[in-house]
Amino acid sequence: MNWKELLTRQTEQAYKVVTHLVGLCNDSELNWKPDEENNWMTTAQLLYHTANSGGKPMNGFASGSWTSHEHVDGDMEKSKKMMPPATSMPGVSSIAEALQLLEADKSLALETIANVSEEDLATKPSPAPWDPKPVILGIRLLEMVEHLNQHKAQLFYYLKLQNKSVGTFDLYGV
C-alpha cells in the first residue's frame, strides 16, 4: 500500500465515523459539557473543532500556508501557555452546521491527499507551527487523521456521558 492509499482509507473511515457520531447529537444539547471546571469545551465547541481538525491542517502541511494556529509559535512551552481557554473557542450553532463544516473539511482533506505526490509524502520535510522538527509530509498528514480520531473518541465519550446509547460499533464504524 502506498501513502495515498493509506491516507485516503484512514481519512474516509475517520470522517465516516465522526459524521455518524455527530448525527447522534441534538441541537438542544450543544451547550452541554462534562464539567464546569477543567477547561472543557461545550459540545458545540467540540463539534466545531472536530470539523476543522483534519482537512485544514492537512492543507497547511501540504501547502506550507497556515491560516490558523496564531496562538502557537516555535517555543512549545510558551505556546502551551498561550492556548486559548475553552470559553473563547468558537462553536457551531446547529448539528446541520457541524455536518456541513465536517463535509467541507473531509473534502479538503481528500483533495489535499489527491494533490500531493507520493514522493512528497515519503520525503518532503513538513514542519508544524507547533513543532518545527523535520518530519515527512506523509507522517504529518497521518498525524492529522489521528488528531481527528482523538476528537472522534472525545465526542464518543461526550455522548456516553449524556447517557446516549453508543457502543464500540459506533466508535469504530463497524
Side-chain angles (χ1 to χ4, degrees):
M1 181 178 287
N2 63 33
W3 275 108
K4 288 179 130 180
E5 288 176 47
L6 172 67
L7 289 165
T8 299
R9 182 177 185 278
Q10 295 299 105
T11 298
E12 287 174 343
Q13 180 64 17
Y15 280 100
K16 174 185 166 190
V17 174
V18 171
T19 300
H20 167 70
L21 292 173
V22 171
L24 299 175
C25 297
N26 295 315
D27 286 339
S28 64
E29 298 168 331
L30 288 174
N31 288 325
W32 184 91
K33 60 183 176 177
D35 189 315
E36 291 302 315
E37 304 296 321
N38 300 316
N39 203 33
W40 288 98
M41 289 184 275
T42 65
T43 301
Q45 291 167 318
L46 176 58
L47 294 178
Y48 183 88
H49 183 74
T50 302
N52 289 281
S53 292
K56 288 184 180 178
M58 283 180 164
N59 187 266
F61 281 120
S63 69
S65 176
W66 292 89
T67 57
S68 61
H69 303 288
E70 290 85 6
H71 57 276
V72 178
D73 69 16
D75 180 345
M76 182 56 84
E77 287 307 309
K78 181 180 174 187
S79 294
K80 286 180 186 176
K81 293 176 187 169
M82 295 169 52
M83 293 299 284
T87 55
S88 71
M89 297 176 74
V92 297
S93 59
S94 68
I95 301 306
E97 179 188 4
L99 290 168
Q100 182 180 22
L101 290 171
L102 193 61
E103 183 60 34
D105 199 60
K106 174 186 171 187
S107 294
L108 181 58
L110 293 172
E111 178 183 315
T112 298
I113 295 165
N115 289 332
V116 294
S117 71
E118 199 61 43
E119 181 179 346
D120 279 353
L121 288 166
T123 64
K124 180 181 175 184
S126 187
W130 58 90
D131 179 14
K133 72 180 178 205
V135 175
I136 62 169
L137 180 58
I139 295 291
R140 290 292 193 193
L141 298 190
L142 196 55
E143 289 173 343
M144 293 305 95
V145 175
E146 180 60 24
H147 181 221
L148 180 62
N149 280 326
Q150 291 292 328
H151 290 300
K152 170 189 80 174
Q154 185 179 7
L155 178 56
F156 173 81
Y157 281 102
Y158 270 41
L159 293 167
K160 285 196 80 72
L161 289 169
Q162 294 177 65
N163 295 314
K164 304 281 183 166
S165 180
V166 292
T168 302
F169 294 128
D170 294 295
L171 184 57
Y172 293 100
V174 180

